[in-house]
Amino acid sequence: MATISLTVNGKAVSATVEDRTLLVQYLRETLGLTGTHVGCDTSQCGACVVHVDGKAVKACTMLAAQADGTTVLTIEGLATGDQLHPVQAAFREHHGLQCGFCTPGMIMAAVDMINRHGGPLDEATIRHELEGNICRCTGYHNIVKAIEAASAEMAGLRQAAE
Amino acid sequence: MYQTTYHRPSSVTEAASLLASAEDVKLLAGGQTLIPTMKQRLAAPANLIDLGKIAELKGITVSGGTVTIGAGTTHAEVNTSADVKAAIPALAKLAGGIGDPHVRHLGTIGGSVANNDPAADYPSAVLGLGATVVTTKREIPADDFFAGMFTTALDEDEIIVRFVFPVPEKAAYAKFANPASRYAMAGVFVAVTGGTVRVAVTGAGSDGVFRWADAEAALAGTMTPAALDGLTADASAMLSDIHGDAAYRANLVKVMAKRAVAALG
């Protein structure tokens, strides 16, 4: 058994878990944070993407024990109170989802790519960056539009703050 | 995943002594191949030694005509390193084409090279650039390191610490990615280092990464895509599977080699 302590969505948590426990299992089954989804379970679909120390990773391809001492952000920690994160708001505005299963991973991947690139993103960059996230409903067009809009809005917000 | 016991050493010395004393053990680098393999129960080591928190395995330094990359450096770090982009842009580009952004945040160069997957990208760069693999026991030239599919010169109790890449005059990597998995179906790394041409091929060979000697000889004469026109890669040495048969892959090797040469500029 491994004893782990980490910060999840701003809260310090600790637990004793089996060494083989995946981070996504710990998040969903121990902490009850079921917003992070398990789609393919083979590291391909990206429904389980969360941020570990500020970087997007596949939570189904990391052990909970490896996350000891890290800071984890899941889809549940993205909004500020009732106010949606700009990427969440853009997915709603641009109909960036149909069934919604891939959405938590899509949004966490989108926030990560916007953070890394800064500035407004173009369509080609967004499509390339979405290589690790699969959606079976939308055909991606509205997801790309949502991320494009959110990246422009976030760049504007950053500029206004400076 | 079957039960396993997780160990997290904080230094290379500690990792090496754990590795020497534990039975049925696997080293866990970024885990982007090993964890999926364990989930499928294709691997079930009793002990896992996590190298992910060892600071001395991380980092990139450039000095005296070489780029040194710690084995625990992630693909994302190599891809975005200003030092790598300036010294060996082809290597930065190769790292940015592995898997997807999330995989690149965890996967490491040491893990990829030690695993020596026949479709992995990094082995072609290590072989094509004639890098030196520095381990806990010795320094291994790339030409002596790769020993066939999923096989390397590494001993059971040996850990890769870093890679030393000579800075080439020019280098380029061209890959034809499987449309679904994005793994290389043929990836060709061409480099000119100290006046010598090396052509390393991944993804296609039935025995893993290899140097294409005929192409090296042809390009030593004229460094143009057309110099490869008369050559045929040996189909009998190629992988053949549902993604592409041997003849298809042999042709891809030639096409990717020509594209890499064209990209040398």
Side-chain angles (χ1 to χ4, degrees), chain A residues 19-20 56 58 60 133, chain B residues 1 6 8 39 100 102 105:
Chain A
D19 291 14
R20 62 177 168 175
K58 289 177 171 169
C60 83
N133 294 79
Chain B
M1 191 186 297
Y6 173 85
R8 185 199 278 180
K39 286 167 70 176
D100 59 53
H102 325 313
H105 279 146

Side-chain angles (χ1 to χ4, degrees), chain A residues 66-102:
Chain A
Q66 288 175 279
D68 178 38
T70 65
T71 297
V72 175
L73 180 68
T74 73
I75 189 74
E76 288 94 340
L78 209 52
T80 310
D82 289 340
Q83 195 184 351
L84 293 178
H85 185 281
V87 176
Q88 291 174 306
F91 268 66
R92 184 168 68 179
E93 177 66 25
H94 294 271
H95 309 288
L97 60 142
Q98 287 179 29
C99 87
F101 192 89
C102 72

Side-chain angles (χ1 to χ4, degrees), chain A residues 102-125:
Chain A
C102 72
T103 311
M106 285 288 178
I107 289 177
M108 297 311 285
V111 172
D112 174 73
M113 79 171 81
I114 293 170
N115 288 345
R116 274 186 289 114
H117 288 274
L121 298 178
D122 59 32
E123 184 188 338
T125 304

Side-chain angles (χ1 to χ4, degrees), chain B residues 142-166:
Chain B
D143 283 320
D144 300 334
F145 183 84
F146 299 102
M149 203 180 271
F150 296 109
T151 311
T152 68
L154 289 171
D155 292 336
E156 288 293 322
D157 60 347
E158 191 170 18
I159 302 171
I160 301 177
V161 179
R162 59 183 175 270
F163 299 87
V164 181
F165 291 93

Side-chain angles (χ1 to χ4, degrees), chain A residues 2 18-22 41-44 46 49 54-58 60-63 65-70 105 109 112 116 128-133, chain B residues 1-8 28-33 35-36 39-41 48 50 53 74 77 96-97 99-106 180-182:
Chain A
E18 281 192 340
D19 291 14
R20 62 177 168 175
T21 307
L22 298 167
D41 212 13
T42 55
S43 321
Q44 296 175 75
V49 169
K55 290 178 183 143
V57 304
K58 289 177 171 169
C60 83
T61 312
M62 182 174 186
L63 298 173
Q66 288 175 279
D68 178 38
T70 65
D112 174 73
R116 274 186 289 114
H128 177 67
E129 286 279 350
L130 283 179
E131 191 104 66
N133 294 79
Chain B
M1 191 186 297
Y2 287 113
Q3 291 285 6
T4 187
T5 301
Y6 173 85
H7 308 267
R8 185 199 278 180
L28 177 65
Q32 300 304 285
T33 298
I35 290 177
K39 286 167 70 176
Q40 298 213 40
R41 297 182 171 179
L48 268 186
D50 183 5
K53 294 289 193 288
T74 64
E77 288 161 349
D100 59 53
H102 325 313
V103 167
R104 293 195 287 274
H105 279 146
L106 289 178
S181 74
R182 313 311 289 170

Side-chain angles (χ1 to χ4, degrees), chain B residues 61-247:
Chain B
T61 50
V62 179
S63 73
T66 59
V67 176
T68 300
I69 302 181
T73 308
T74 64
H75 309 327
E77 288 161 349
V78 174
N79 174 230
T80 56
S81 159
D83 283 340
V84 179
K85 280 189 200 171
I88 319 179
L91 186 60
K93 183 173 171 251
L94 175 147
I98 300 171
D100 59 53
H102 325 313
V103 167
R104 293 195 287 274
H105 279 146
L106 289 178
T108 68
I109 183 170
S112 169
V113 173
N115 190 46
N116 194 19
D117 188 301
D121 296 285
Y122 264 130
S124 71
V126 170
L127 190 60
L129 289 165
T132 301
V133 185
V134 181
T135 75
T136 43
K137 297 167 80 171
R138 56 192 163 139
E139 297 192 358
I140 310 173
D143 283 320
D144 300 334
F145 183 84
F146 299 102
M149 203 180 271
F150 296 109
T151 311
T152 68
L154 289 171
D155 292 336
E156 288 293 322
D157 60 347
E158 191 170 18
I159 302 171
I160 301 177
V161 179
R162 59 183 175 270
F163 299 87
V164 181
F165 291 93
V167 174
E169 284 96 80
K170 37 188 177 177
Y173 180 63
K175 147 169 146 174
F176 188 90
N178 180 299
S181 74
R182 313 311 289 170
Y183 269 104
M185 289 185 60
V188 179
F189 200 101
V190 177
V192 184
T193 313
T196 304
V197 183
R198 293 170 70 104
V199 178
V201 179
T202 192
S206 57
D207 207 23
V209 67
F210 66 94
R211 282 174 69 185
W212 187 13
D214 290 350
E216 291 178 357
L219 294 171
T222 334
M223 186 52 84
T224 58
L228 301 174
D229 279 341
L231 300 185
T232 309
D234 179 8
S236 72
M238 299 294 155
L239 286 166
S240 204
D241 55 29
I242 56 164
H243 306 297
D245 66 17

